[in-house]
């Protein structure tokens, strides 16, 4: 499809950002198909690759990343061609498993969930967090755990929290052919040593540290970097300095992409709502009202009704009743 006719197509999104959205559906590296409408895909999208993500940065097409923790949420991410990356975040610990911190999540728990997400994933690039403790002990242990996540967990890439202190770890994994997504700024796995979940990079030293960390991780071979909870000016600068795509969460609008936690985005998470969270849905209200209606219907015996029940013909039932008497 020539670009000119795409420009004329009545895309709703194209009115918001013509130059950017046009390239999304163009015959580009990013591999998007050409649906009749961005919200009503007609063709499944091509598998997203690292090369496609790099091209999206180049073309200034925002990268959409969303977390998933199980088969249905993975299917939902995959059913939308505008979702580029599915992340099995270790936020799994809090939003799915009820732990207080991501540090409580084990590697085997993570693998149990990544397998389910992998079964539901089609076009999105599939990334998993390496759980706390699975990449700190030694190079050998890290390599073994990484291979396990790839082979058993069936993910394509791994995300690791940390700055230049983990550059050798990142180099080791990328040297093995395992793609690594870095994660700098607020590091939830270190919330205790950082005295809480606090915005990072607000003073000169902290901002400089984040810039040098991001550069070191790019140098070590990371294919992308998550910037969490940092001032938007700093995120814009890091995005400009790096050749690899930046994905922001609480890092303002100038990163190459955005990520949110599934439950925060859906409005199902009743816990703390960080400043950077936008609830795009109110599924908690919807879900709670469905539970209320179901429970009421059971108590009032209005559920199940005739159409929801199985019947047997009268003659047969009389015969059965006679034989059991
Ligand atoms: N539901 C959920 N959403 C997340 O984004 C998320 C998780 N869970 N669990 C793992 C980590 C933890 N994260 C968090 C948790 C809390 C804040 C938070 O309370 N931030 C404060 C900033 C306070 C300040 O420094 O001024 C905020 O109010 O935004 C941020 C990120 C991000 N990840
Ligand atoms: C919020 C994203 C970046 C994450 O690391 C997670 O969900 O665990
Ligand atoms: Mg995480």
């Amino acid at each position: 499809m020539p670009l000119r006719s795409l420009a004329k197509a009545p895309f709703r999104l194209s009115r918001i950002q013509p130059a950017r959205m046009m390239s999304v559906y163009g015959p580009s590296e990013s591999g998007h198909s050409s649906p009749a409408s961005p919200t009503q895909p007609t063709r499944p999208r091509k598998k997203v690759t690292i090369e496609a993500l790099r091209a999206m940065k180049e073309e200034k097409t925002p990268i959409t990343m969303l977390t998933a923790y199980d088969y249905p949420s993975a299917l939902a991410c995959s059913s939308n061609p505008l979702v580029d990356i599915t992340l099995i975040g270790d936020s799994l610990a809090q939003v799915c498993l009820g732990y207080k911190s991501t540090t409580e999540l084990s590697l085997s728990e993570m693998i149990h969930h990544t397998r389910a997400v992998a079964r539901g994933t089609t076009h999105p690039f599939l990334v998993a967090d390496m759980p706390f403790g699975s990449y700190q002990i030694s190079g050998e242990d890290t390599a073994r755990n990484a291979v396990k996540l790839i082979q058993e967990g069936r993910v394509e890439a791994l995300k690791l929290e940390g700055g230049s202190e983990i550059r050798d770890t990142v180099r080791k994994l990328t040297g093995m052919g395992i793609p690594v997504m870095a994660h700098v700024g607020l590091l939830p796995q270190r919330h205790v040593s950082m005295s809480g979940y606090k915005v990072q990079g607000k003073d000169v030293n902290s901002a400089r540290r984040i810039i040098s960390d991001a550069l070191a991780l790019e140098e070590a071979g990371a294919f992308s970097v998550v910037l969490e909870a940092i001032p938007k000016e700093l995120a814009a600068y890091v995005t400009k300095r790096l050749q690899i795509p930046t994905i922001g969460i609480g890092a303002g609008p100038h990163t190459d992409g955005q990520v949110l936690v599934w439950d925060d985005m859906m409005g199902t998470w009743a816990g703390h709502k960080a400043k950077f969270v936008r609830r795009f849905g109110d599924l908690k209200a919807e879900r709670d009202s469905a539970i209320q209606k179901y429970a009421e219907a059971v108590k009032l015996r209005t559920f199940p009704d005739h159409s929801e029940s199985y019947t047997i013909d009268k003659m047969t039932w009389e015969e059965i009743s006679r034989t059991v008497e």
Side-chain angles (χ1 to χ4, degrees):
M1 203 180 199
L3 279 179
R4 211 176 304 140
S5 64
L6 273 168
K8 282 189 210 141
F11 292 155
R12 246 198 286 154
L13 284 174
S14 69
R15 254 178 260 146
I16 304 167
Q17 244 176 17
R20 291 184 179 200
M21 293 316 300
M22 219 199 304
S23 61
V24 167
Y25 301 107
S28 67
E29 290 282 284
S30 43
H32 286 69
S33 59
S34 305
S37 149
T39 51
Q40 302 272 298
T42 52
R43 258 191 282 161
R45 190 175 159 195
K46 269 202 295 182
K47 183 74 194 171
V48 175
T49 61
I50 289 168
E51 192 182 33
L53 296 168
R54 192 76 75 100
M56 290 175 76
K57 177 176 179 118
E58 203 71 26
E59 297 163 3
K60 301 202 180 305
T61 301
I63 296 166
T64 313
M65 179 156 100
L66 179 57
T67 69
Y69 308 109
D70 54 15
Y71 181 68
S73 55
L75 278 181
C77 290
S78 293
S79 72
N80 193 317
L82 298 177
V83 175
D84 304 299
I85 305 174
T86 298
L87 171 74
I88 304 105
D90 59 353
S91 48
L92 162 68
Q94 283 144 310
V95 300
C96 284
L97 302 178
Y99 291 132
K100 286 275 178 286
S101 158
T102 57
T103 55
E104 296 182 61
L105 186 75
S106 71
L107 181 65
S108 55
E109 286 169 320
M110 179 52 108
I111 289 172
H112 180 73
H113 285 260
T114 57
R115 288 173 67 82
V117 171
R119 287 191 285 268
T121 298
T122 56
H123 76 270
F125 193 65
L126 193 57
V127 184
D129 266 328
M130 285 198 82
F132 173 74
S134 70
Y135 59 101
Q136 287 92 348
I137 314 276
S138 70
E140 207 178 295
D141 186 53
T142 301
R144 191 171 27 244
N145 292 334
V147 169
K148 217 170 162 191
L149 267 162
I150 301 280
Q151 285 187 329
E152 293 175 30
R154 313 234 168 100
V155 298
E156 294 171 298
L158 302 174
K159 182 161 78 61
L160 279 67
E161 290 182 14
S164 26
E165 76 284 355
I166 65 157
R167 77 207 301 168
D168 291 342
T169 308
V170 173
R171 202 169 277 134
K172 165 110 188 164
L173 296 183
T174 56
M176 289 168 66
I178 298 172
V180 172
M181 181 180 274
H183 181 154
V184 302
L186 192 163
L187 307 178
Q189 292 179 1
R190 301 186 192 188
H191 70 100
V192 179
S193 57
M194 287 169 127
S195 300
Y197 300 95
K198 290 182 183 163
V199 177
Q200 302 294 307
K202 292 214 287 187
D203 60 61
V204 178
N205 284 338
S206 170
R208 281 200 180 131
R209 180 69 208 264
I210 288 167
I211 295 164
S212 63
D213 282 348
L215 286 166
L217 295 161
E218 173 176 70
E219 219 268 310
F223 74 91
S224 174
V225 56
V226 164
L227 306 177
E228 177 162 351
I230 63 170
K232 62 181 194 300
E233 297 83 357
L234 175 59
Y237 179 77
V238 171
T239 300
K240 227 192 246 168
R241 282 291 306 270
L242 296 185
Q243 284 174 283
I244 56 173
T246 60
I247 315 277
I249 173 162
H254 308 302
T255 52
D256 298 308
Q258 296 293 331
V259 57
L260 277 179
V261 165
W262 173 278
D263 301 78
D264 291 338
M265 199 275 278
M266 294 294 172
T268 44
W269 180 240
H272 174 75
K273 180 181 170 296
K275 180 182 165 72
F276 56 73
V277 168
R278 186 187 294 181
R279 291 185 175 144
F280 287 89
D282 189 2
L283 267 59
K284 187 183 183 299
E286 194 62 30
R287 180 195 68 192
D288 292 350
S289 131
I291 295 174
Q292 178 66 19
K293 285 188 247 171
Y294 164 65
E296 275 177 17
V298 171
K299 302 291 183 196
L300 296 169
R301 294 192 189 279
T302 59
F303 174 81
D305 67 14
H306 178 72
S307 75
E308 291 152 339
S309 309
Y310 303 100
T311 53
I312 196 167
D313 69 84
K314 207 167 164 230
M315 294 281 279
T316 313
W317 183 241
E318 276 169 5
E319 193 187 325
I320 294 167
S321 312
R322 270 200 306 279
T323 47
V324 294
E325 263 156 16

